[in-house]
Every structure is written in C-alpha cells, then in structure tokens.
Amino acid sequence: TPFDPYQVNFHYTEANAWQYRFFAPHAIPELMELMGGKKEFETELDKLFNAPTQTTGREQADITGLIGQYAHGNEPSHHIVYLYAFSDTPKVGQQYIHKIIHDFHNNTPDGMIGNDDCGQMSAWYILSTLGFYPVNPANGEFVLGAPQVQKAVLHLQNDKTFSIRAKNISDQNIYQENPKLNQTMLTRPFITFPEIKAGGTLDFIMSKN
C-alpha cells in the first residue's frame, strides 16, 4: 500500500498489474464473469487501451510499443487485443490489430518493436497478418482478428493446404465481417487447429466500418 497498477516491480514478470490483469488466457469466460459480465469486461479493456502510457517503478526495457497500458513489445500483452472478439465490439480489437501491425512492424533492420524472445514478436505478426491468433495456446483455438493480406496459403505437413482470403481488403477496409469456413458462416469468433489441419478455405469480407 498504496497500490499502483502502473508500477513495474518484481511482483510481475516484465510487466505491471494493468497487463497481468488480463493474463488468464485459459479462462476468459471466468475472467469476464469476475469483471461483472461481457459489457463490464469490454469497459475494462477500453480502460487499458486508453490509460496513460507512463509506467512507474523499475526500468524494464521490454515494455515498449505502448497503447495506453497495452505493451506490444513484450509477451504478456499479446493476446489482449483478441479479447475484444469475445465482446460485443470485436471491431475495436480489429482496429488495434491493424494499428499495431502498421505502427510497430516495418521492413527495416529495426522494424519490430520489443524483444523477439524465441520468435514471439514474429509469430504474433505472422499469425495476426493471416487473421487469427491462439489466445489460449493449449486449447487448439485460433481467435479471429483482421487479416492484412488479400490471400495466403498454408502448406501443411499432411500435404493439404489451408487458404485465407480477404475480399475488398484495402488501407481503409480494415474490418472483417461474415467470416466463412469452407463456405459455411462462422457463428463463433474462432477456428480450431483440426479445422486448419483438415485443409480448406477461410474467407473474410473486409469493410471500412
């Protein structure tokens, strides 16, 4: 006491209380319930991204790429933009995904924010560019975001292919809607690893609002 959620200290690994507040990737429904429900969960996400960018406490070089208290330069934050997919405003998360990819990654020797520990920064970029990310890496689900390429083809080890297509994508059309897996409309905000492994096509329609 007094508690300071902006403080970087040894109670949290390379982050602060703001960032670790959302670090329950294995239990998102339970986390949402603890925060009061879907609407309250969304409000708390908004608070994170709109908080002042300053931190207090000890110096931690990996805490970079700040949007509010979301720190893209280090792993504990990487799943957070995808939590909007479980709210009533998934396009807010898609807007942040577009911003992070275009503001914090570029084709230069110093073109990636933060510390690429074991390739995590690169993996986030590649997966997010394709349009999905494993919020919980242990449950085989890839939460949908917003693709950044018109088309990509994954050549799988079982000799099958999985294609991602983004119709109408442009610098203005950054939001996805009506995603279809093998021509069937998805009613959930994720696809699964077995679905990818089986091969097929994931289609997005991109729009500007």
Side-chain angles (χ1 to χ4, degrees):
T1 341
F3 174 67
D4 178 8
Y6 294 86
Q7 187 178 75
V8 180
N9 54 45
F10 289 104
H11 297 298
Y12 306 96
T13 302
E14 299 182 357
N16 61 21
W18 268 112
Q19 290 131 35
Y20 270 101
R21 188 170 188 224
F22 295 93
F23 200 77
H26 59 290
I28 300 305
E30 291 82 359
L31 180 63
M32 192 179 295
E33 183 180 350
L34 283 172
M35 290 186 175
K38 184 184 288 189
K39 185 62 180 176
E40 291 78 7
F41 182 71
E42 180 185 327
T43 298
E44 295 306 311
L45 283 171
D46 291 341
K47 287 180 182 178
L48 173 80
F49 284 95
N50 289 286
T53 58
Q54 294 78 18
T55 61
T56 62
R58 70 184 181 90
E59 179 67 23
Q60 178 61 55
D62 290 354
I63 300 179
T64 55
L66 286 162
I67 304 174
Q69 283 296 304
Y70 171 87
H72 189 68
N74 211 24
E75 293 90 339
S77 288
H78 276 182
H79 68 294
I80 296 177
V81 286
Y82 286 89
L83 297 183
Y84 276 105
F86 299 99
S87 77
D88 290 327
T89 57
K91 289 185 178 180
V92 175
Q94 294 168 29
Q95 182 178 18
Y96 284 127
I97 290 167
H98 184 270
K99 176 179 174 62
I100 291 164
I101 286 176
H102 290 273
D103 287 2
F104 297 150
H105 298 267
N106 59 74
N107 190 24
T108 68
D110 192 28
M112 191 157 51
I113 200 80
N115 182 2
D116 196 23
D117 290 328
C118 299
Q120 166 60 14
M121 301 300 301
S122 303
W124 187 98
Y125 174 81
I126 292 169
L127 288 163
S128 294
T129 297
L130 294 174
F132 45 74
Y133 184 78
V135 168
N136 176 0
N139 71 353
E141 295 175 358
F142 291 79
V143 178
L144 300 179
Q148 304 295 309
V149 292
Q150 185 175 16
K151 183 178 180 180
V153 180
L154 307 183
H155 297 270
L156 308 174
Q157 286 184 318
N158 59 6
D159 294 327
K160 295 185 179 182
T161 60
F162 187 79
S163 299
I164 299 97
R165 300 184 298 198
K167 185 179 180 180
N168 300 330
I169 192 169
S170 70
D171 290 340
Q172 290 74 41
N173 295 346
I174 64 172
Y175 303 105
Q176 61 93 348
E177 54 190 20
N178 302 322
K180 292 181 179 179
L181 180 63
N182 299 325
Q183 301 303 312
T184 299
M185 192 78 70
L186 285 167
T187 58
R188 47 181 160 86
F190 60 87
I191 58 175
T192 68
F193 179 69
E195 288 169 340
I196 295 174
K197 188 177 178 181
T201 303
L202 176 63
D203 286 302
F204 297 97
I205 298 176
M206 309 301 292
S207 67
K208 62 181 178 181
N209 51 42

